[in-house]
Amino acid sequence: MQLWLIPALPLAGFVINGVFGRRFSKTLVNSVAIGSVVMAFAWALKTVLGLGEAPYSEHYFDWIVAGGFRVGCDFAVDRLTAVMLLVVTGVGSLIHIYSIGYMAHDGGYSRFFAYLNLFMFFMLTLVLAANYLVLFVGWEGVGLCSYLLIGFWFHKKSATDAGNKAFIVNRIGDYGFSLAMLLIVVNFGSLDFGPVFGAAGSKPEGLLTTIALLLLVGACGKSAQFPLYVWLPDAMEGPTPVSALIHAATMVTAGVYMVARSFPIYIHAPAALEMVAVIGLFTAAFAATIGLAQNDIKKVFAYSTVSQLGYMFLGLGTGAFSAGIYHLMTHAFFKALLFLGAGSVIHALSGEQDMRNMGGLRKKIPVTFWTLMCAAVAISGVPPFAGFFSKDAILVAAYHHAPWMYWVGTITAGMTAFYVFRAMFMTFFGEYRGHEHPHESPAVITVPLSALAVLSVVGGFIRVPVWLEKFFPVAEAPEEFSLVAISVVAGVAGIALAWVMYMVKPGLADSVSASLGGLYRLVYNKYFVDEIYDAAVVKPVVNGSRVVLWRGLDAGLIDGAANGIGSSSQGLGGWLKLLQSGNIRSYATWVVFGSVILVVALGLVGAVR
C-alpha cells in the first residue's frame, strides 16, 4: 500500500515551499501546498478502500536496537487509523483551499503554506504510527507546528506569547507521555502496539493504571482538557485557518486518538478510565459556562472546542470508544465550519472579531450566514444534523455508566446551543453596529464553507460506530428514545432561550448580566484561571529563577568564583610584575640577594645534619 506516501506528500510540499516558495508565484505555491494534501487524501482513500479485516503494517528500518529491545520505523493502518486519515486529509484539504483567499495579502504567504504542510505531515505520522515512539515523533511535531502557526504573526507580542504558552503547556503533558513510555519499555520490553496491547491483560492493574494516567496527562495537554486547557483559547492569535486546523483536524484530536488507540490498557485500568470520563465531563461543563459570556467570536468557538473535546473524553471514559471517535469526526466537520465561517465574517469586516460590533450581517454575507447556521444547528445536537448522532451516542453511554453524568452532559448540551446561537444572533441579526462595509467572501472561501456545511448536515449518516464495532471489543449502550429526546429538548431550549434574550427582548441579556453581578464577572473573566496560574506558577518560577538561579547561583556563585579567581590572579600578577623592572643593576641585586638566601639556607641545612 506504500503507507509512507501519505505523510511524505505533505512533507515534500513543506520542503519545496519552505526552500523555494519565496521565489514562486502564489499560483505555484498553491499548487504545491494544496496538491500535496489532496494527493495525500486520494492515497489515504485508496488505502482505506483496500483495507481488509486485519490491520496492515509496513516496516521501513530498525530505528533503535539495544540488546533484545528493538523499535522500528513502522507504519500501520486499521479501522481506527482509517477514520483519522480521512478526517485529517479531507478536512485539512478544505482548510488549505480556504487559506488561499484568507491569506491572499499576507507577506508570509509561502511560509504559511509550508507550515500547514508540515503540520499535516506530523499529524499523519502520528496516526499512522505502529508504535508509541513513532507516535511520539508526530506528537512532538504537531506541538512544534502549533507553536510556529499560533505565533505566525510574530510582530504581535500577543501572538508570540500565545505560541509560547501553547508550547510550554504542552511540554507538561508531553512529560507525562514520556514517563508512560519509559514504564512501558521497562515492563513490556517493547513500544510496539501489538506486543504491548497483547500483554496488557497479564500485567498488574496498578502498573496499568499508572501508565494510563500518565498517558492521560499527555492527552490533557494536546486535547486541552482541564487543567491544561488554557493554551487553546489563546491559540486564536494565529490566522483563522490555523485555528480551524488545530481545533478540527489535527492537534486537539491527537489526545483523543491516543487514548482510543490505547484502549487495551485503559479497559484493564478502570480507575484511569473513570478519570478520563470525569475530566472530560468537568471540562465540557466548565468550558461551556465560560463560552456563555465571551464576546470575541473566535473565543466563543474556542471554548466550544474545549467543551466538545470534553464530550469525546466522556465517551472514551464511559467505554463508548467508537462514540468518542464518531464525535471526533462529526466535530471536525462543524467545528472547521464554525472557525472558517468566523474567519469569513472577520474577513468581511476587515479584521473585526468583537460580536458587539457586528449584527445584521445575514443579508450582507448570505453564504457565510447559511453555512454557519448549518454548523450551529449541528453542534446544538438537533436531528438530523451530524452532531446529533455522535453527541447522543455519548450521552446514552454516560447514562448507563452513571446517570448523573448524563444529566450534567445534557445541561452542557443546552448551554452549548445557547452560546452558539447567542453568537449567531449577535453576528447576523438585528442592526449592524460596526463601522466597516461588509462584503461577502470570494468563492475560494465560500466553496470550502459550503462543502463543510454539507458534511455538517449529512455527516452523521457516516456510521462510524458500525465501522468500528469490530475494532473496539467493548459493547456500547443501545440507543434509548427517551434519553435522546431529553437531550434534543435541552438543545432546542438553549436555542429558544438565546432567541428570547437576544432577539425578542434584546435588553434582557444585559439585565441578567447585571443581576448576576460577581458571578457574571467571574465567568466573564474565565474564573481567573490564567491569573491564578500566573500567581501560583509562572511568577514564582520566573522570580525564583531570577533570584535563586540567576543572581544567587549564576551571578553570585559561578560568576563570583570565576571573577574572584581572576581578581586574585590579577593582584598577584601586579605584585610579581614589580620584579620585572628592566634595570640590569636591579636584576644583579636580586641575583646576589637570592644567592645569599640560598647559601644561608644550605648552611642551616648542613648545621642541622
Side-chain angles (χ1 to χ4, degrees):
M1 289 187 181
Q2 295 180 307
L3 299 178
W4 62 272
L5 272 174
I6 299 173
L9 287 165
L11 179 62
F14 161 71
V15 173
I16 293 171
N17 276 335
V19 176
F20 305 108
R22 296 184 65 181
R23 302 184 182 92
F24 289 170
S25 66
K26 287 185 178 180
T27 302
L28 188 52
V29 170
N30 298 339
S31 300
V32 171
I34 298 170
S36 64
V37 178
V38 171
M39 286 191 292
F41 171 72
W43 198 261
L45 183 60
K46 173 182 177 295
T47 300
V48 171
L49 292 176
L51 181 65
E53 291 291 331
Y56 171 80
S57 62
E58 293 178 354
H59 173 73
Y60 303 113
F61 58 87
D62 288 335
W63 184 2
I64 298 175
V65 179
F69 177 69
R70 183 183 301 270
V71 178
C73 181
D74 302 338
F75 283 166
V77 61
D78 52 30
R79 293 196 166 214
L80 175 59
T81 307
V83 175
M84 295 299 297
L85 284 177
L86 295 180
V87 169
V88 172
T89 56
V91 176
S93 297
L94 293 174
I95 293 172
H96 275 67
I97 295 170
Y98 174 97
S99 300
I100 296 175
Y102 195 87
M103 301 297 291
H105 304 294
D106 196 278
Y109 192 81
S110 61
R111 177 168 60 92
F112 178 80
F113 277 100
Y115 288 167
L116 283 189
N117 278 176
L118 186 64
F119 211 153
M120 295 292 292
F121 162 72
F122 279 121
M123 189 64 194
L124 291 170
T125 299
L126 188 155
V127 300
L128 283 168
N131 58 64
Y132 278 110
L133 191 58
V134 176
L135 188 153
F136 193 67
V137 171
W139 187 273
E140 291 296 282
V142 294
L144 167 65
C145 292
S146 69
Y147 167 77
L148 295 173
L149 285 166
I150 293 169
F152 180 78
W153 287 322
F154 53 82
H155 56 278
K156 294 169 55 181
K157 187 177 186 302
S158 57
T160 57
D161 287 346
N164 290 335
K165 187 175 183 179
F167 193 83
I168 293 168
V169 171
N170 273 275
R171 295 292 70 72
I172 299 171
D174 297 349
Y175 183 65
F177 193 173
S178 62
L179 290 178
M181 288 198 298
L182 291 175
L183 278 178
I184 291 172
V185 170
V186 171
N187 292 279
F188 290 83
S190 176
L191 286 172
D192 292 335
F193 295 145
V196 171
F197 298 157
S202 63
K203 299 297 181 180
E205 184 177 315
L207 170 66
L208 295 176
T209 300
T210 303
I211 292 172
L213 289 175
L214 289 171
L215 291 174
L216 178 59
V217 172
C220 285
K222 278 290 181 290
S223 292
Q225 295 297 283
F226 188 87
L228 300 180
Y229 73 94
V230 291
W231 67 270
L232 190 57
D234 287 1
M236 300 303 97
E237 290 291 340
T240 297
V242 173
S243 303
L245 194 62
I246 289 176
H247 285 249
T250 55
M251 185 161 164
V252 298
T253 63
V256 178
Y257 167 76
M258 186 266 285
V259 172
R261 171 62 65 191
S262 304
F263 79 91
I265 294 176
Y266 280 93
I267 60 177
H268 291 100
L273 197 60
E274 185 72 15
M275 185 60 70
V276 173
V278 170
I279 288 178
L281 183 60
F282 176 80
T283 304
F286 181 78
T289 60
I290 298 176
L292 296 173
Q294 300 306 303
N295 293 312
D296 184 313
I297 188 170
K298 289 177 67 176
K299 283 286 181 72
V300 173
F301 297 152
Y303 280 104
S304 77
T305 298
V306 177
S307 183
Q308 295 301 305
L309 289 166
Y311 270 111
M312 296 175 208
F313 275 81
L314 175 61
L316 300 178
T318 55
F321 292 99
S322 63
I325 297 300
Y326 190 18
H327 198 57
L328 183 154
M329 181 197 73
T330 60
H331 175 263
F333 300 152
F334 58 71
K335 185 48 59 67
L337 179 53
L338 284 172
F339 273 107
L340 296 185
S344 182
V345 172
I346 295 167
H347 181 270
L349 299 179
S350 303
E352 180 61 66
Q353 295 184 201
D354 192 327
M355 297 184 300
R356 292 169 295 187
N357 297 325
M358 299 180 187
L361 296 178
R362 71 184 187 281
K363 294 181 180 179
K364 301 178 185 297
I365 48 174
V367 177
T368 300
F369 165 69
W370 284 111
T371 53
L372 256 180
M373 182 60 74
C374 292
V377 175
I379 196 174
S380 299
V382 176
F385 288 69
F388 160 74
F389 297 95
S390 55
K391 174 192 65 103
D392 282 290
I394 291 171
L395 289 177
V396 171
Y399 182 84
H400 287 279
H401 181 78
W404 70 270
M405 289 187 168
Y406 166 83
W407 292 109
V408 174
T410 299
I411 294 170
T412 301
M415 288 192 290
T416 300
F418 174 82
Y419 66 69
V420 169
F421 270 87
R422 169 180 176 266
M424 292 295 295
F425 295 143
M426 290 181 69
T427 302
F428 292 103
F429 291 81
E431 298 295 326
Y432 179 57
R433 300 178 294 274
H435 304 288
E436 302 295 332
H437 298 285
H439 55 281
E440 185 61 275
S441 300
V444 74
I445 287 179
T446 57
V447 169
L449 294 182
S450 301
L452 288 167
V454 172
L455 290 171
S456 297
V457 174
V458 304
F461 295 101
I462 305 172
R463 302 302 289 172
V464 169
V466 176
W467 171 256
L468 292 175
E469 64 182 0
K470 294 182 179 179
F471 183 84
F472 294 116
V474 182
E476 302 199 9
E479 294 184 2
E480 294 189 25
F481 177 79
S482 59
L483 298 177
V484 172
I486 291 171
S487 66
V488 171
V489 169
V492 174
I495 297 172
L497 182 60
W499 172 262
V500 171
M501 293 182 66
Y502 290 91
M503 296 299 299
V504 178
K505 298 180 179 180
L508 182 59
D510 293 334
S511 300
V512 172
S513 301
S515 65
L516 291 174
L519 179 60
Y520 176 79
R521 289 192 295 274
L522 181 66
V523 175
Y524 178 78
N525 288 287
K526 299 161 284 188
Y527 298 100
F528 298 98
V529 172
D530 282 303
E531 289 78 5
I532 293 171
Y533 283 179
D534 190 58
V537 179
V538 177
K539 287 183 178 178
V541 170
V542 172
N543 294 335
S545 65
R546 287 174 178 170
V547 174
V548 178
L549 298 179
W550 172 36
R551 295 175 184 170
L553 183 61
D554 191 6
L557 181 59
I558 298 175
D559 287 352
N563 294 337
I565 293 171
S567 299
S568 301
S569 300
Q570 186 178 18
L572 179 62
W575 184 81
L576 291 175
K577 75 178 182 180
L578 298 175
L579 301 177
Q580 301 294 325
S581 64
N583 190 317
I584 295 177
R585 287 179 296 179
S586 175
Y587 292 160
T589 301
W590 282 110
V591 170
V592 171
F593 182 70
S595 299
V596 170
I597 292 175
L598 182 60
V599 169
V600 172
L602 291 173
L604 291 174
V605 171
V608 171
R609 288 179 178 177

